[in-house]
């Protein structure tokens, strides 16, 4: 569902103009509830919360919702330069650099992308929790999507579950990948002998990787890949299992021709959580990946 009418953000309120049909109903509160749940597509969990907190109001012909309440970031702001690829009142997409995790773990005090996004919000006067919708491996570059309010988070999380958010990757792998390799459908589980590794396992979770296109050179191949599922290390595990580990991916047997795994998120495609507009966000290749591509081409 999506909203095609006029809307505006006024402080913590989202103001909508649902139209004369709704205004003409004898019980506008009941009509608003039905419209929000069935036409507007508000998650029932959020509707009940807003109703309990008196966050749904009429003002003349406008229906007002508290979708932008003041919220703590939930993480310490730490300033670093941030490459913003897309931003509006509901979504933020940033280009994650290599060597930076998306979120902290209990064993490290390193600055993560979430720390940096919190600092960006602070600098821009945005008071909302830092909510990433998906992740990338620490050494993978590319776009990461953030929800700027709870409504957007619920809608985008639902889109992730329904596989409506598409991520396209560029991977440079060892060897010549045959044109016949289009889909890798192999379950992935933990490696009992190595806590950081995953492996193809019959008892693992379903995992499907699509190879959309390939450029094949004598010693390496450049692949464009999309994921139908989002398992940990999925691309790395699948390609290594097929005999084509990513260059630089020492964890999965890749040749040490690169300082990290040669994997970059090129494009992110999703529908805007409010308007339903189809958005395509592109992330430029990092310099090291461009240099590696030239190296494998020259090496041919």
């Amino acid at each position: 569902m999506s909203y095609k009418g006029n809307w505006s953000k006024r402080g913590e309120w989202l103001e909508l103009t649902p139209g004369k049909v709704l205004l003409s109903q004898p019980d506008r509160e009941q009509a608003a509830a039905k419209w929000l749940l069935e036409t507007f597509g508000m998650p029932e969990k959020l509707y009940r919360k807003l109703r309990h907190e008196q966050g749904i109001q009429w003002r003349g012909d406008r229906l007002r919702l508290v979708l932008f309440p003041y919220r703590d970031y939930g993480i310490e702001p730490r300033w670093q330069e941030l490459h913003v690829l897309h931003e509006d009142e509901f979504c933020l997409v940033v280009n994650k650099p290599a060597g930076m995790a998306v979120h902290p773990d209990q064993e490290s005090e390193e600055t993560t992308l979430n720390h940096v996004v919190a600092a960006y919000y602070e600098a821009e006067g945005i008071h909302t929790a830092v909510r990433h919708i998906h992740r990338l491996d620490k050494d993978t570059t590319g776009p990461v999507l953030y929800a700027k309010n709870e409504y957007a988070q619920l809608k985008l999380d639902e889109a992730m579950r329904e596989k409506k958010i598409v991520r396209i990757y560029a991977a440079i792998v060892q060897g010549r990948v045959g044109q016949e390799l289009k889909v890798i459908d192999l379950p992935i589980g933990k490696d009992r002998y190595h806590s950081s590794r995953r492996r193809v396992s019959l008892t693992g979770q379903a995992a499907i990787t699509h190879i959309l296109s390939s450029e094949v050179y004598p010693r390496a191949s450049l692949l464009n890949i999309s994921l139908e599922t989002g398992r940990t290390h999925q691309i790395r595990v699948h390609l290594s299992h097929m005999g084509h580990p990513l260059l630089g991916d020492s964890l999965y047997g890749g040749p040490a021709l690169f300082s990290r795994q040669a994997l970059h998120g090129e494009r992110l495609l999703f529908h805007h959580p409010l308007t339903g507009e189809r958005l395509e966000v592109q992330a430029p290749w990092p310099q090291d990946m461009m240099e590696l591509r030239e190296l494998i081409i020259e090496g041919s």
Side-chain angles (χ1 to χ4, degrees), residues 144-155:
V144 177
L145 174 60
Y146 286 82
K148 293 176 69 178
N149 54 53
E150 186 177 357
Y151 171 83
Q153 181 182 20
L154 290 170
K155 298 290 281 189

Side-chain angles (χ1 to χ4, degrees), residues 51-69:
R51 186 177 177 184
H52 176 72
E53 297 175 353
Q54 298 183 331
I56 304 173
Q57 296 180 3
W58 282 100
R59 176 171 288 183
D61 64 348
R62 289 167 294 170
L63 184 60
R64 308 175 78 224
L65 311 171
V66 179
L67 292 194
F68 308 99

Side-chain angles (χ1 to χ4, degrees), residues 186-189 198-201 204-205 207 231-232 234 237-238:
L186 295 168
I188 292 176
R198 300 294 188 271
R199 64 183 183 90
V200 168
S201 169
Q205 294 177 299
R231 307 305 176 201
T232 299
Q234 179 173 321
V237 172
H238 271 173

Side-chain angles (χ1 to χ4, degrees), residues 136-140 169 171-173 184 188 194 196-200 209 225 227 231-254 260-264:
L136 292 174
D137 289 348
K138 183 175 182 178
D139 286 331
T140 300
Y169 294 85
I172 300 177
V173 304
I184 306 172
I188 292 176
H194 195 306
S196 299
R197 283 173 54 102
R198 300 294 188 271
R199 64 183 183 90
V200 168
T209 300
I225 295 168
L227 299 179
R231 307 305 176 201
T232 299
H233 297 178
Q234 179 173 321
I235 291 174
R236 301 164 66 187
V237 172
H238 271 173
L239 288 169
S240 176
H241 184 81
M242 300 304 294
H244 300 289
L246 276 68
L247 300 190
D249 191 358
S250 59
L251 187 61
Y252 293 102
R260 60 181 178 90
Q261 68 256 16
L263 186 62
H264 171 64

Side-chain angles (χ1 to χ4, degrees), residues 107-125:
E107 300 175 359
S108 174
E109 294 296 323
E110 293 181 358
T111 294
T112 69
L113 193 63
N114 282 1
H115 289 108
V116 180
V117 168
Y120 173 78
Y121 284 167
E122 185 177 56
E124 294 294 316

Side-chain angles (χ1 to χ4, degrees), residues 10-148:
R10 296 184 183 278
E12 65 180 2
W13 296 91
L14 175 73
E15 294 193 346
L16 307 167
T17 52
K20 294 180 180 179
V21 173
L22 198 60
L23 294 170
S24 64
Q25 298 298 313
D27 187 338
R28 287 209 298 181
E29 301 301 325
Q30 183 178 352
K34 181 178 176 64
W35 182 82
L36 285 170
L37 292 169
E38 298 180 7
T39 302
F40 183 72
M42 175 175 285
E44 185 172 351
K45 172 184 175 182
L46 181 58
Y47 169 76
R48 294 185 182 280
K49 179 180 179 181
L50 292 181
R51 186 177 177 184
H52 176 72
E53 297 175 353
Q54 298 183 331
I56 304 173
Q57 296 180 3
W58 282 100
R59 176 171 288 183
D61 64 348
R62 289 167 294 170
L63 184 60
R64 308 175 78 224
L65 311 171
V66 179
L67 292 194
F68 308 99
Y70 182 101
R71 291 287 185 266
D72 291 331
Y73 303 126
I75 191 169
E76 175 193 1
R78 298 182 190 173
W79 177 258
Q80 285 189 25
E81 185 176 353
L82 185 68
H83 183 189
V84 175
L85 299 170
H86 170 85
E87 184 175 14
D88 57 49
E89 300 289 3
F90 290 81
C91 306
L92 174 72
V93 183
V94 300
N95 197 10
K96 190 187 82 65
M100 178 180 283
V102 170
H103 61 88
D105 59 36
Q106 297 177 347
E107 300 175 359
S108 174
E109 294 296 323
E110 293 181 358
T111 294
T112 69
L113 193 63
N114 282 1
H115 289 108
V116 180
V117 168
Y120 173 78
Y121 284 167
E122 185 177 56
E124 294 294 316
I126 300 168
H127 301 287
T128 190
V130 175
R131 306 173 176 94
H132 63 270
I133 299 301
H134 64 98
R135 296 173 291 176
L136 292 174
D137 289 348
K138 183 175 182 178
D139 286 331
T140 300
T141 53
V144 177
L145 174 60
Y146 286 82
K148 293 176 69 178

